[in-house]
Short mmCIF file of all heavy atoms in Angstrom, two decimals:
data_model
loop_
_atom_site.label_atom_id
_atom_site.label_comp_id
_atom_site.label_asym_id
_atom_site.label_seq_id
_atom_site.Cartn_x
_atom_site.Cartn_y
_atom_site.Cartn_z
N MET A 42 113.74 129.62 109.92
CA MET A 42 112.71 128.59 109.86
C MET A 42 112.97 127.63 108.70
O MET A 42 112.80 126.41 108.83
CB MET A 42 111.33 129.25 109.70
CG MET A 42 110.17 128.28 109.76
SD MET A 42 108.56 129.11 109.79
CE MET A 42 108.61 129.87 111.41
N LYS A 43 113.41 128.17 107.55
CA LYS A 43 113.70 127.35 106.39
C LYS A 43 114.89 126.42 106.65
O LYS A 43 114.94 125.30 106.15
CB LYS A 43 114.00 128.22 105.18
CG LYS A 43 112.78 128.97 104.63
CD LYS A 43 113.17 129.83 103.44
CE LYS A 43 111.96 130.58 102.89
NZ LYS A 43 112.34 131.45 101.73
N GLU A 44 115.85 126.91 107.46
CA GLU A 44 117.07 126.14 107.71
C GLU A 44 116.98 125.29 108.97
O GLU A 44 117.93 124.61 109.33
CB GLU A 44 118.26 127.11 107.83
CG GLU A 44 118.54 127.89 106.55
CD GLU A 44 119.64 128.92 106.73
OE1 GLU A 44 120.08 129.13 107.90
OE2 GLU A 44 120.07 129.52 105.72
N TYR A 45 115.81 125.31 109.62
CA TYR A 45 115.65 124.60 110.89
C TYR A 45 115.84 123.10 110.71
O TYR A 45 115.29 122.49 109.80
CB TYR A 45 114.27 124.87 111.47
CG TYR A 45 114.03 124.21 112.80
CD1 TYR A 45 114.52 124.77 113.97
CD2 TYR A 45 113.32 123.02 112.89
CE1 TYR A 45 114.31 124.18 115.20
CE2 TYR A 45 113.11 122.41 114.12
CZ TYR A 45 113.60 122.99 115.26
OH TYR A 45 113.39 122.38 116.48
N LYS A 46 116.62 122.51 111.58
CA LYS A 46 116.83 121.06 111.57
C LYS A 46 116.37 120.51 112.92
O LYS A 46 116.92 120.85 113.97
CB LYS A 46 118.32 120.74 111.33
CG LYS A 46 118.78 121.06 109.91
CD LYS A 46 120.24 120.69 109.72
CE LYS A 46 120.67 120.86 108.27
NZ LYS A 46 120.45 122.21 107.77
N PRO A 47 115.36 119.66 112.92
CA PRO A 47 114.81 119.14 114.17
C PRO A 47 115.75 118.17 114.85
O PRO A 47 116.60 117.53 114.22
CB PRO A 47 113.54 118.43 113.72
CG PRO A 47 113.85 118.00 112.33
CD PRO A 47 114.68 119.10 111.74
N ASN A 48 115.60 118.06 116.15
CA ASN A 48 116.36 117.09 116.93
C ASN A 48 115.58 115.78 116.97
O ASN A 48 114.53 115.69 117.59
CB ASN A 48 116.59 117.62 118.34
CG ASN A 48 117.38 116.63 119.21
OD1 ASN A 48 117.91 115.65 118.70
ND2 ASN A 48 117.43 116.90 120.49
N VAL A 49 116.07 114.79 116.27
CA VAL A 49 115.40 113.50 116.23
C VAL A 49 116.28 112.43 116.88
O VAL A 49 116.24 111.25 116.51
CB VAL A 49 115.04 113.11 114.78
CG1 VAL A 49 113.97 114.01 114.22
CG2 VAL A 49 116.29 113.13 113.89
N ALA A 50 117.07 112.86 117.86
CA ALA A 50 118.00 111.94 118.52
C ALA A 50 117.27 110.81 119.24
O ALA A 50 117.82 109.72 119.43
CB ALA A 50 118.88 112.72 119.50
N HIS A 51 115.99 111.08 119.63
CA HIS A 51 115.24 110.05 120.36
C HIS A 51 114.64 109.00 119.44
O HIS A 51 114.00 108.05 119.89
CB HIS A 51 114.11 110.72 121.17
CG HIS A 51 113.09 111.40 120.32
ND1 HIS A 51 113.37 112.56 119.63
CD2 HIS A 51 111.81 111.08 120.03
CE1 HIS A 51 112.28 112.93 118.96
NE2 HIS A 51 111.34 112.05 119.18
N ILE A 52 114.83 109.16 118.12
CA ILE A 52 114.25 108.24 117.14
C ILE A 52 115.34 107.38 116.50
O ILE A 52 116.37 107.89 116.08
CB ILE A 52 113.50 109.01 116.03
CG1 ILE A 52 112.36 109.83 116.65
CG2 ILE A 52 112.96 108.06 114.97
CD1 ILE A 52 111.68 110.74 115.66
N ASP A 53 115.12 106.09 116.48
CA ASP A 53 116.04 105.18 115.81
C ASP A 53 115.67 105.16 114.32
O ASP A 53 114.75 104.45 113.89
CB ASP A 53 115.92 103.77 116.40
CG ASP A 53 116.96 102.81 115.81
OD1 ASP A 53 117.64 103.20 114.83
OD2 ASP A 53 117.07 101.69 116.32
N ILE A 54 116.36 105.99 113.53
CA ILE A 54 116.04 106.14 112.12
C ILE A 54 116.11 104.82 111.37
O ILE A 54 115.36 104.60 110.41
CB ILE A 54 116.99 107.17 111.46
CG1 ILE A 54 116.87 108.53 112.15
CG2 ILE A 54 116.69 107.32 109.97
CD1 ILE A 54 115.51 109.17 112.05
N SER A 55 116.97 103.92 111.81
CA SER A 55 117.13 102.64 111.11
C SER A 55 115.85 101.80 111.17
O SER A 55 115.65 100.91 110.35
CB SER A 55 118.28 101.84 111.71
OG SER A 55 118.00 101.47 113.06
N LYS A 56 114.99 102.10 112.14
CA LYS A 56 113.76 101.33 112.29
C LYS A 56 112.54 102.04 111.69
O LYS A 56 111.43 101.52 111.73
CB LYS A 56 113.50 101.05 113.77
CG LYS A 56 114.55 100.16 114.42
CD LYS A 56 114.22 99.90 115.87
CE LYS A 56 115.26 98.98 116.51
NZ LYS A 56 114.96 98.72 117.94
N VAL A 57 112.78 103.23 111.13
CA VAL A 57 111.68 103.99 110.55
C VAL A 57 111.39 103.49 109.14
O VAL A 57 112.27 103.47 108.28
CB VAL A 57 112.00 105.50 110.52
CG1 VAL A 57 110.91 106.26 109.75
CG2 VAL A 57 112.13 106.05 111.93
N VAL A 58 110.16 103.06 108.91
CA VAL A 58 109.73 102.62 107.58
C VAL A 58 108.62 103.56 107.11
O VAL A 58 107.50 103.51 107.64
CB VAL A 58 109.20 101.17 107.60
CG1 VAL A 58 108.74 100.75 106.21
CG2 VAL A 58 110.26 100.23 108.13
N PRO A 59 108.91 104.46 106.17
CA PRO A 59 107.87 105.37 105.68
C PRO A 59 106.66 104.59 105.17
O PRO A 59 106.82 103.59 104.47
CB PRO A 59 108.57 106.12 104.54
CG PRO A 59 110.02 106.01 104.85
CD PRO A 59 110.19 104.66 105.49
N SER A 60 105.48 105.01 105.56
CA SER A 60 104.28 104.27 105.16
C SER A 60 103.14 105.23 104.83
O SER A 60 103.13 106.38 105.25
CB SER A 60 103.86 103.31 106.27
OG SER A 60 103.58 104.02 107.47
N THR A 61 102.20 104.72 104.10
CA THR A 61 101.00 105.46 103.75
C THR A 61 99.89 104.44 103.54
O THR A 61 100.09 103.24 103.72
CB THR A 61 101.21 106.31 102.48
OG1 THR A 61 100.07 107.15 102.27
CG2 THR A 61 101.42 105.43 101.25
N ASP A 62 98.70 104.92 103.19
CA ASP A 62 97.62 103.99 102.89
C ASP A 62 97.23 104.13 101.42
O ASP A 62 97.69 105.02 100.72
CB ASP A 62 96.41 104.24 103.81
CG ASP A 62 95.54 105.39 103.33
OD1 ASP A 62 96.10 106.41 102.86
OD2 ASP A 62 94.31 105.27 103.42
N ALA A 63 96.38 103.25 100.95
CA ALA A 63 96.00 103.26 99.54
C ALA A 63 95.23 104.53 99.18
O ALA A 63 95.31 105.01 98.05
CB ALA A 63 95.15 102.03 99.22
N GLY A 64 94.51 105.10 100.15
CA GLY A 64 93.77 106.33 99.89
C GLY A 64 94.68 107.48 99.53
O GLY A 64 94.50 108.14 98.51
N ASP A 65 95.67 107.73 100.37
CA ASP A 65 96.61 108.82 100.11
C ASP A 65 97.47 108.52 98.88
O ASP A 65 97.74 109.39 98.06
CB ASP A 65 97.50 109.04 101.34
CG ASP A 65 98.08 110.45 101.38
OD1 ASP A 65 97.51 111.36 100.74
OD2 ASP A 65 99.09 110.63 102.07
N ALA A 66 97.90 107.27 98.75
CA ALA A 66 98.74 106.88 97.61
C ALA A 66 98.01 107.00 96.29
O ALA A 66 98.62 107.25 95.25
CB ALA A 66 99.24 105.45 97.80
N SER A 67 96.69 106.86 96.31
CA SER A 67 95.93 106.93 95.06
C SER A 67 95.92 108.33 94.47
O SER A 67 95.57 108.51 93.30
CB SER A 67 94.48 106.44 95.27
OG SER A 67 93.79 107.28 96.19
N GLY A 68 96.31 109.32 95.25
CA GLY A 68 96.40 110.67 94.73
C GLY A 68 97.73 110.97 94.06
O GLY A 68 97.94 112.07 93.55
N SER A 69 98.62 109.99 94.05
CA SER A 69 99.96 110.21 93.50
C SER A 69 99.99 110.18 91.98
O SER A 69 100.85 110.79 91.35
CB SER A 69 100.93 109.16 94.05
OG SER A 69 100.56 107.87 93.57
N GLY A 70 99.05 109.46 91.39
CA GLY A 70 99.04 109.33 89.94
C GLY A 70 99.76 108.09 89.43
O GLY A 70 99.72 107.79 88.24
N TYR A 71 100.41 107.36 90.31
CA TYR A 71 101.09 106.14 89.88
C TYR A 71 100.69 104.92 90.72
O TYR A 71 101.44 103.95 90.82
CB TYR A 71 102.62 106.31 89.88
CG TYR A 71 103.19 107.17 90.98
CD1 TYR A 71 103.31 106.68 92.27
CD2 TYR A 71 103.62 108.46 90.72
CE1 TYR A 71 103.84 107.46 93.28
CE2 TYR A 71 104.15 109.26 91.72
CZ TYR A 71 104.25 108.75 92.99
OH TYR A 71 104.77 109.53 93.99
N LEU A 72 99.49 104.98 91.29
CA LEU A 72 98.95 103.79 91.96
C LEU A 72 98.10 103.02 90.95
O LEU A 72 97.41 103.62 90.12
CB LEU A 72 98.10 104.19 93.16
CG LEU A 72 97.71 103.02 94.08
CD1 LEU A 72 98.90 102.62 94.95
CD2 LEU A 72 96.52 103.38 94.97
N HIS A 73 98.16 101.70 91.03
CA HIS A 73 97.35 100.87 90.14
C HIS A 73 95.87 101.17 90.39
O HIS A 73 95.44 101.25 91.54
CB HIS A 73 97.65 99.39 90.39
CG HIS A 73 97.19 98.49 89.29
ND1 HIS A 73 95.86 98.20 89.06
CD2 HIS A 73 97.89 97.82 88.33
CE1 HIS A 73 95.75 97.38 88.03
NE2 HIS A 73 96.97 97.14 87.56
N PRO A 74 95.06 101.35 89.34
CA PRO A 74 93.65 101.71 89.54
C PRO A 74 92.79 100.61 90.14
O PRO A 74 91.70 100.88 90.65
CB PRO A 74 93.17 102.06 88.12
CG PRO A 74 94.10 101.32 87.22
CD PRO A 74 95.43 101.31 87.92
N ARG A 75 93.26 99.36 90.10
CA ARG A 75 92.44 98.25 90.60
C ARG A 75 92.99 97.57 91.84
O ARG A 75 92.29 96.77 92.46
CB ARG A 75 92.26 97.21 89.49
CG ARG A 75 91.40 97.69 88.33
CD ARG A 75 91.12 96.59 87.32
NE ARG A 75 92.33 96.17 86.63
CZ ARG A 75 92.84 96.80 85.58
NH1 ARG A 75 92.25 97.87 85.11
NH2 ARG A 75 93.94 96.35 84.99
N LYS A 76 94.24 97.88 92.22
CA LYS A 76 94.80 97.25 93.42
C LYS A 76 95.79 98.21 94.08
O LYS A 76 96.38 99.07 93.41
CB LYS A 76 95.48 95.93 93.07
CG LYS A 76 96.46 96.02 91.90
CD LYS A 76 96.94 94.64 91.48
CE LYS A 76 97.87 94.73 90.26
NZ LYS A 76 98.31 93.39 89.81
N PRO A 77 95.98 98.10 95.38
CA PRO A 77 96.85 99.05 96.11
C PRO A 77 98.33 98.80 95.91
O PRO A 77 99.05 98.46 96.84
CB PRO A 77 96.42 98.84 97.57
CG PRO A 77 95.98 97.41 97.62
CD PRO A 77 95.33 97.15 96.28
#
Side-chain angles (χ1 to χ4, degrees):
M42 186 173 291
K43 291 179 180 179
E44 297 175 352
Y45 182 81
K46 291 181 173 57
N48 179 11
V49 292
H51 63 289
I52 299 173
D53 185 351
I54 301 297
S55 65
K56 295 181 179 179
V57 173
V58 179
S60 60
T61 187
D62 82 320
D65 203 22
S67 63
S69 65
Y71 36 76
L72 191 77
H73 197 288
R75 292 186 293 277
K76 50 188 177 182

